Amino acid sequence: MTIASEKVLVRLEFDKILEQLARHTVSPLGRERALALRAVDDLDLVRTWQAETEEGSNLFRLDPNADFGGWHDIREPVERAVRGLVLEGETLFQIGQTLGAVRIQKKFLAERRDRYPLLAARAATVLDFPEPEQKIKKCILPGGEVTDGASAKLADVRRRLQAARAKVRETLERLVRSPAQQKYLQEPIITIRQGRYVVPVKIEYRNQVPGLVHDQSASGATLFVEPLTVVDKNNEIRRLESAEKQEIQKILAELSSAVARVAPDVLHAVDLLGYLDFVLGKARLSRQQGAVPPRVDRGAYLAFRKARHPLIRENVVAIDGGLGRDFDLLVLTGPNAGGKTVALKTFGLLVLMTQAGLHVPASECAVGLFSDVFADIGDEQSIENSLSTFSSHVANLVEIVGRVGPASLVLIDELGTGTDPTEGAALAQAILEELHRRRVRGVATTHYGELKQFASGRDRVENASVEFDVDTLEPSFRLVTGRPGRSYAFEIALRLGMPEAVVYRAREFLSDDQREAARLLQQLEKTQQEAERLREAAREAAREADDLRRRYESELADLLEKKSALRERAAREAQELVRQARRETEAVIRDLRESMHADSNRVREQAIQEARRRIGRLGAGLPVADVPETAAGVPEALESGEQVFIPRYGQRGVTLGPSRDGEVQVQVGAVKVSLPLVEVRRTTPAPVAQPAGSNVMLEKTREVGLELDLRGLRTEEALNELEKYLDDAALAGLPRVHLIHGMGTGALRSAVHSFLKADGRIRSFRLGGRGEGGLGVTVVEF
């Protein structure tokens, strides 16, 4: 069952969403389905629709080259065929194309049943039509012409017809080329009049060319004559042409009858093609809006983050909000043109789009299904029906109050306006109280202070406001739940040019309590705005910290992977050295045994010495293992700058600070890691002599970070900083660094990339990926 009347759909502009959807379909059937789409309250059906839309989105992502076109709306010609009418060749060709499209799309989805189970299940309900498809393909050419191979009789008739025409032309060719006859002709050509071959004869020589006159030129100077010598041949051509038409009509009738025999199944298949087009249209709309699939459940609630009004394309402000969980009614206040009505419609459209199977333009959205949606938005006054603005609103509210229930969503714009403010505010409170008593979910916008107090003093009723920047006197359009808003009438009047004296006098008409309440509310708004900015900054810092953590974990994983690869290579090389040593040892033993048979002691001694030398050379190529000397046991504490060995990774490192709470931060090459003390051992510095500048490299390793922020610098300053940073990073032996240049106009990014291309130390560079900063970051590999 649909959950909203046509009037409500228009008030919330859902009809415009459907028009957008219709523009994303490619067939009349898809467009009809799009415009007829309505929100329903059947949970299983809504979930199925949402899953189909998601499958459509996945299809564009996983199979972007899939062909779902090449078919036509053949419902009307198929019904004509059922009534016994003969279809034209072009129409039959379109039916053949459509039957081919059914076969192709059904096969495509059947082969990808695991990816698109719902769409494949729908496609499996239709039949293939190989016989009529092949017959039409064999008999009809593009454009509707019947092929010679459609029947043996048609092929024979056309062959004889071609021969008869050739004979007539041959006879007339001799006539027009005859010198004796050419002087009688206006031109030496052969033409056709009334379906018969004729020649143009000058009127004054009419009697010199005996035959039948079929036409005369506009000037009267030329007669088109069928010479008597070709009359019988032309008669034969006309007879054969008649036979051809009869045979073509017979073939078209047979094909039309074949279509009529499978008409119900064909219409069902065409309906499937239209449904697939409709689903893909929903997927295209989702992609255009940057929409997401909402979570659907029971319970009449709505919760969303960063939702956007789907009809506002530019400068749209995303809002967070909800209804039905912590509270049932939301009283929304704020200045005029501050975005209250847009927010109100966004609530309604998110519900309607979700329950119609559409994705929603938000980062997150969850909807517990509503049974009804009611809306009173806009001015519907009618002179013809003697309805004022207030009367039209009251008429809508009477209908709403009479029909709502606990699973209803009610959206009311400017509740209680259009009449005496005191009475209007009282009526508005009474309506909200009734809705609250019935546990209705609803949002009402207002300027009445009494309604703000109503929301503050009742359970499951909440205040909300659209934010207004008191410094710039401009609305920010953000929705703030939990705080009532001011109308800012005086501030807006000043911004629009009202004389200050008038506004100052207006403030004097307020009571002291009203002025104090306004001052406190303004102070509260400033405090909450600042708190929100701080919270957002904290969230951004947390996101950046999480990105850095993931980046460092990834780099550590790379190092461990390289270490594992080095170990494997070392093991292979060691095995090869062992094999070589064995072979050499065997050779030494063999040679030594042969020398032992010598008579001379001197020869035997020389052989033994040679064997010793050869055995001594076996270990000459092996590297000396760098096994650090470690102090026994776990260190109780470590100070900054101490040399440590990490048995778990087989790596040396330098502590970056004193140990705290049983942990210490260690610089291992270009990576900083925090390790428990139980995983490190104090060791002496490596015995290998340090080359000149090694202390500088160690200092650079400690000081140089893994990223450089160039935002806010001019291009020349940025390149100077970049050059110094790359020198330090190269000296420190960093394998990879991140350059933060921001997105902006792209000028700084281009300058940085040009600089990197000219630096021979750079192996490669790329733009950051997901979690690395995207287009605002360049990742550099040394």
Side-chain angles (χ1 to χ4, degrees):
M1 185 184 74
T2 59
I3 64 172
S5 68
E6 296 301 310
K7 283 186 177 181
V8 170
L9 298 182
V10 172
R11 289 168 187 158
L12 293 174
E13 300 180 288
F14 186 70
D15 57 322
K16 295 180 181 179
I17 303 295
L18 298 184
E19 289 173 4
Q20 282 189 351
L21 174 60
R23 287 195 290 270
H24 285 288
T25 61
V26 296
S27 70
L29 287 87
R31 178 176 178 82
E32 289 171 10
R33 281 188 174 275
L35 295 177
L37 180 64
R38 295 295 182 268
V40 299
D41 59 355
D42 185 324
L43 179 62
D44 293 335
L45 184 58
V46 171
R47 284 177 172 169
T48 299
W49 286 356
Q50 286 290 346
E52 288 177 343
T53 305
E54 183 66 8
E55 286 187 13
S57 299
N58 291 337
L59 193 150
F60 284 125
R61 180 173 57 86
L62 300 175
D63 296 287
N65 297 322
D67 183 12
F68 278 80
W71 59 279
H72 307 271
D73 181 4
I74 59 172
R75 292 172 296 179
E76 189 271 335
V78 169
E79 291 172 354
R80 281 196 285 122
V82 171
R83 294 198 301 270
L85 300 178
V86 177
L87 304 179
E88 299 82 1
E90 175 64 24
T91 301
L92 284 167
F93 181 76
Q94 291 181 354
I95 291 175
Q97 282 185 309
T98 302
L99 298 183
V102 171
R103 172 178 50 80
I104 291 171
Q105 294 184 24
K106 179 181 177 182
K107 179 181 178 183
F108 174 89
L109 292 172
E111 291 173 347
R112 296 161 176 80
R113 182 178 299 274
D114 292 341
R115 291 185 187 175
Y116 320 115
L118 293 175
L119 299 183
R122 281 189 177 271
T125 64
V126 303
L127 301 176
D128 290 329
F129 307 94
E131 185 177 348
E133 180 190 351
Q134 291 303 320
K135 279 185 177 180
I136 294 173
K137 185 177 180 181
K138 175 186 175 184
C139 297
I140 309 296
L141 294 173
E145 181 183 353
V146 179
T147 65
D148 293 349
S151 73
K153 182 177 180 180
L154 180 61
D156 178 64
V157 169
R158 284 182 172 173
R159 187 169 56 253
R160 291 163 55 195
L161 181 59
Q162 186 177 8
R165 287 170 176 164
K167 288 180 181 178
V168 171
R169 293 190 67 86
E170 182 181 352
T171 301
L172 293 180
E173 286 285 352
R174 289 196 299 268
L175 186 148
V176 298
R177 287 200 298 267
S178 170
Q181 298 292 328
Q182 283 186 354
K183 62 182 178 180
Y184 306 137
L185 303 178
Q186 195 70 260
E187 294 180 80
I189 62 171
I190 302 169
T191 186
I192 295 177
R193 287 295 185 274
Q194 298 178 7
R196 304 177 75 89
Y197 287 95
V198 297
V199 293
V201 178
K202 297 176 182 177
I203 193 168
E204 59 267 27
Y205 297 116
R206 164 67 186 85
N207 295 325
Q208 303 302 320
V209 182
L212 304 176
V213 177
H214 289 280
D215 200 1
Q216 187 174 8
S217 67
S219 64
T222 303
L223 298 175
F224 294 94
V225 177
E226 177 186 5
L228 291 177
T229 54
V230 298
V231 170
D232 290 340
K233 296 182 176 66
N234 269 333
N235 287 341
E236 176 66 9
I237 290 174
R238 295 301 295 272
R239 187 186 68 79
L240 290 172
E241 287 177 343
S242 178
E244 179 189 30
K245 289 181 180 177
Q246 290 178 3
E247 184 63 18
I248 288 174
Q249 194 69 9
K250 178 183 176 183
I251 293 168
L252 294 179
E254 290 177 352
L255 293 176
S256 299
S257 178
V259 170
R261 286 194 294 272
V262 294
D265 294 329
V266 169
L267 292 175
H268 176 58
V270 171
D271 186 64
L272 168 73
L273 296 179
Y275 191 81
L276 292 177
D277 178 36
F278 163 67
V279 171
L280 295 180
K282 292 196 293 181
R284 294 187 190 98
L285 179 65
S286 173
R287 184 168 55 178
Q288 182 207 41
Q289 293 180 341
V292 299
R295 189 173 77 253
V296 183
D297 206 344
R298 304 184 189 277
Y301 71 87
L302 172 64
F304 55 86
R305 289 189 66 251
K306 297 189 181 304
R308 307 175 304 279
H309 192 291
L311 297 177
I312 302 177
R313 300 297 301 275
E314 297 181 359
N315 301 322
V316 58
V317 176
I319 61 174
D320 301 344
L323 193 68
R325 284 180 169 171
D326 299 328
F327 51 87
D328 297 331
L329 293 180
L330 190 67
V331 177
L332 180 57
T333 52
N336 287 317
K340 296 191 301 298
T341 303
V342 171
L344 188 72
K345 290 183 176 181
T346 301
F347 274 81
L349 287 175
L350 290 177
V351 170
L352 292 175
M353 292 177 71
T354 295
Q355 297 189 217
L358 299 176
H359 288 176
V360 295
S363 65
E364 296 176 18
C365 183
V367 175
L369 295 195
F370 291 88
S371 62
D372 307 280
V373 175
F374 300 95
D376 177 38
I377 301 174
D379 185 0
E380 296 182 357
Q381 63 177 318
S382 170
I383 297 176
E384 180 181 348
N385 296 325
S386 301
L387 284 177
S388 66
T389 299
F390 178 70
S391 298
S392 67
H393 282 304
V394 170
N396 290 333
L397 293 172
V398 168
E399 179 185 6
I400 291 172
V401 172
R403 295 177 56 190
V404 295
S408 299
L409 174 65
V410 176
L411 305 169
I412 306 174
D413 193 25
E414 301 295 352
L415 178 60
T417 57
T419 187
D420 176 77
T422 303
E423 295 181 357
L427 180 61
Q429 290 183 76
I431 292 172
L432 286 181
E433 189 176 70
E434 179 64 17
L435 296 179
H436 181 244
R437 186 184 66 81
R438 298 191 189 184
R439 303 282 297 193
V440 171
R441 277 63 166 167
V443 182
T445 69
T446 184
H447 288 281
Y448 290 141
E450 292 88 344
L451 296 190
K452 302 175 191 178
Q453 296 173 4
F454 176 89
S456 301
R458 280 174 172 77
D459 185 37
R460 298 196 64 80
V461 184
E462 187 63 89
N463 271 305
S465 61
V466 284
E467 196 172 66
F468 189 82
D469 193 322
V470 295
D471 295 324
T472 63
L473 299 182
E474 293 283 348
S476 68
F477 303 106
R478 293 178 62 251
L479 181 65
V480 181
T481 303
R483 185 189 74 196
R486 296 173 54 212
S487 295
Y488 290 95
F490 298 149
E491 290 81 354
I492 293 175
L494 281 172
R495 182 166 60 87
L496 295 178
M498 182 69 69
E500 290 187 19
V502 175
V503 175
Y504 180 79
R505 180 57 179 158
R507 293 183 191 275
E508 291 181 340
F509 284 113
L510 296 176
S511 67
D512 292 340
D513 290 343
Q514 289 174 322
R515 283 195 292 269
E516 180 63 17
R519 187 188 66 79
L520 292 174
L521 190 57
Q522 181 176 356
Q523 184 177 356
L524 175 62
E525 287 183 0
K526 281 188 174 182
T527 302
Q528 289 194 340
Q529 288 176 9
E530 181 62 26
E532 180 60 29
R533 280 192 287 267
L534 292 175
R535 279 195 298 270
E536 184 59 34
R539 284 193 289 265
E540 181 63 27
R543 284 193 293 269
E544 291 180 358
D546 192 50
D547 291 343
L548 285 174
R549 179 183 58 79
R550 285 196 297 267
R551 186 188 308 168
Y552 289 140
E553 287 177 351
S554 174
E555 291 181 355
L556 181 58
D558 290 343
L559 286 175
L560 295 177
E561 185 178 350
K562 289 177 181 177
K563 174 188 173 183
S564 177
L566 286 173
R567 281 181 171 175
E568 291 178 4
R569 188 176 70 182
R572 289 194 299 269
E573 292 175 353
Q575 290 172 357
E576 180 61 27
L577 287 173
V578 169
R579 284 193 292 269
Q580 290 178 2
R582 286 174 177 171
R583 288 194 295 267
E584 185 66 22
T585 303
E586 292 295 331
V588 170
I589 293 172
R590 186 173 54 254
D591 293 345
L592 187 58
R593 284 175 177 170
E594 292 175 356
S595 300
M596 289 297 100
H597 297 294
D599 295 334
S600 171
N601 289 333
R602 182 170 177 271
V603 172
R604 287 196 294 268
E605 186 62 29
Q606 287 177 345
I608 292 172
Q609 294 300 325
E610 177 62 23
R612 286 174 175 168
R613 283 194 296 272
R614 290 170 67 180
I615 291 173
R617 286 197 299 269
L618 290 179
L622 295 175
V624 178
D626 178 19
V627 180
E629 296 182 5
T630 60
V634 176
E636 293 183 0
L638 290 170
E639 298 299 326
S640 177
E642 289 198 55
Q643 296 277 345
V644 294
F645 178 67
I646 309 170
R648 177 181 174 186
Y649 302 135
Q651 299 287 334
R652 289 177 175 272
V654 179
T655 58
L656 298 178
S659 56
R660 290 190 181 90
D661 300 326
E663 289 193 352
V664 64
Q665 191 174 33
V666 182
Q667 179 85 41
V668 182
V671 178
K672 299 175 183 177
V673 293
S674 291
L675 297 168
L677 283 174
V678 295
E679 293 191 10
V680 300
R681 299 292 183 271
R682 184 181 282 109
T683 183
T684 58
V688 180
Q690 296 292 334
S694 63
N695 290 333
V696 176
M697 291 178 65
L698 181 59
E699 286 300 316
K700 290 301 181 184
T701 301
R702 296 178 185 173
E703 297 172 1
V704 177
L706 294 179
E707 62 184 27
L708 174 65
D709 192 344
L710 301 172
R711 292 174 295 182
L713 300 179
R714 295 194 301 272
T715 300
E716 183 178 357
E717 296 173 342
L719 294 181
N720 288 336
E721 289 293 322
L722 176 59
E723 183 177 11
K724 290 188 290 185
Y725 175 76
L726 291 179
D727 290 340
D728 293 342
L731 187 58
L734 300 184
R736 181 191 301 110
V737 295
H738 295 72
L739 306 179
I740 305 172
H741 41 65
M743 298 182 188
T745 63
L748 181 56
R749 180 176 63 234
S750 298
V752 168
H753 286 186
S754 299
F755 187 90
L756 294 174
K757 289 177 182 177
D759 194 328
R761 298 169 297 184
I762 306 305
R763 184 176 70 183
S764 65
F765 61 91
R766 61 177 173 81
L767 290 173
R770 185 175 182 183
E772 291 182 321
L775 300 179
V777 173
T778 294
V779 182
V780 179
E781 300 277 349
F782 282 90

